[in-house]
Structure formats: C-alpha cells, structure tokens
Amino acid sequence: QVQLVESGGGLVQAGGSLRLTCAASGRTAVSHAVGWFRQAPGKGREFVAAITWSDDTTYYADSVKDRVTISRDYAKKTVVLQMDSLKPEDTALYFCAHGPSTRVFHYWGQGTQVTVSS
C-alpha cells in the first residue's frame, strides 16, 4: 500500500503561482513513479506531469509544459509541482498518483483544490 497526501492548493489570481506537494508513505520503491493529474468540474481526469523516483525523468502535458515544473526528493518521499503563470482554465482538483511507471498508477491521493480567478 502507498498513501499519498497532497497540499498547497488554494485561490490565486491569474498570472500567479502555486506550489503543490505530494507526500508519499508506505511501500514506495525507487523504481516507481509519481504523477500529477487534475479534474475540473464536469470534465474528465487530465494528466499534468509525471516523474520517476530513480532518474528524475519527467513528462509534461502539452497544455502546461511551459508553465509547470515537477521535481522529487526520494529521501523525503515528496514530489513538488510548481505552477507558474496560472490561468483560470487551470482551476481543478489536483491529484497525485503513484505506480510502477509514468503510465501506470495504482494509488491516488484525495486531491487539493486549485482555483484561479480572472
């Protein structure tokens, strides 16, 4: 089992920044990966970014790749999503997820709300 807790969401004006943190505990493994996803009201879950614990390989959605940076600290079991130049369309519930690769995730957190006002 892996437990995930997200934090750092909030209300921010367009153009502002937020730093989301995912804290992992339990049976994590250095060979695994962590991803961030988001879900806006009335929409499906959307991939945002992912990173491997082992070699820091990162992946980004095209919609955010110029404004978002994902990083990890395996010793602390944390993954940070730095979001800059936020837009109202970034408003969503942001989840982190953990799994054996950057394409497969088995465990999910409860999410942290991000609201961007215009």
Side-chain angles (χ1 to χ4, degrees):
Q1 290 283 347
V2 174
Q3 294 77 42
L4 302 167
V5 178
E6 303 94 337
S7 61
L11 174 64
V12 64
Q13 290 188 334
S17 298
L18 280 176
R19 182 179 175 91
L20 307 184
T21 299
C22 175
S25 60
R27 297 174 62 88
T28 61
V30 69
S31 61
H32 290 173
V34 174
W36 280 96
F37 294 76
R38 66 186 182 184
Q39 187 164 16
K43 296 187 177 180
R45 187 170 292 178
E46 176 188 16
F47 169 77
V48 177
I51 190 167
T52 57
W53 284 122
S54 59
D55 61 4
D56 212 19
T57 301
T58 57
Y59 299 91
Y60 295 95
D62 288 342
S63 59
V64 301
K65 64 182 179 181
D66 296 328
R67 303 183 291 116
V68 165
T69 303
I70 190 170
S71 60
R72 94 289 186 256
D73 185 330
Y74 186 68
K76 295 181 179 179
K77 301 288 181 73
T78 58
V79 173
V80 170
L81 188 72
Q82 176 68 40
M83 302 191 297
D84 301 313
S85 302
L86 284 163
K87 304 175 181 180
E89 51 264 43
D90 293 318
T91 295
L93 186 63
Y94 283 71
F95 302 86
C96 66
H98 188 279
S101 77
T102 54
R103 295 180 180 272
V104 179
F105 298 96
H106 293 156
Y107 300 99
W108 296 80
Q110 293 298 308
T112 185
Q113 179 67 39
V114 170
T115 303
V116 184
S117 63
S118 58

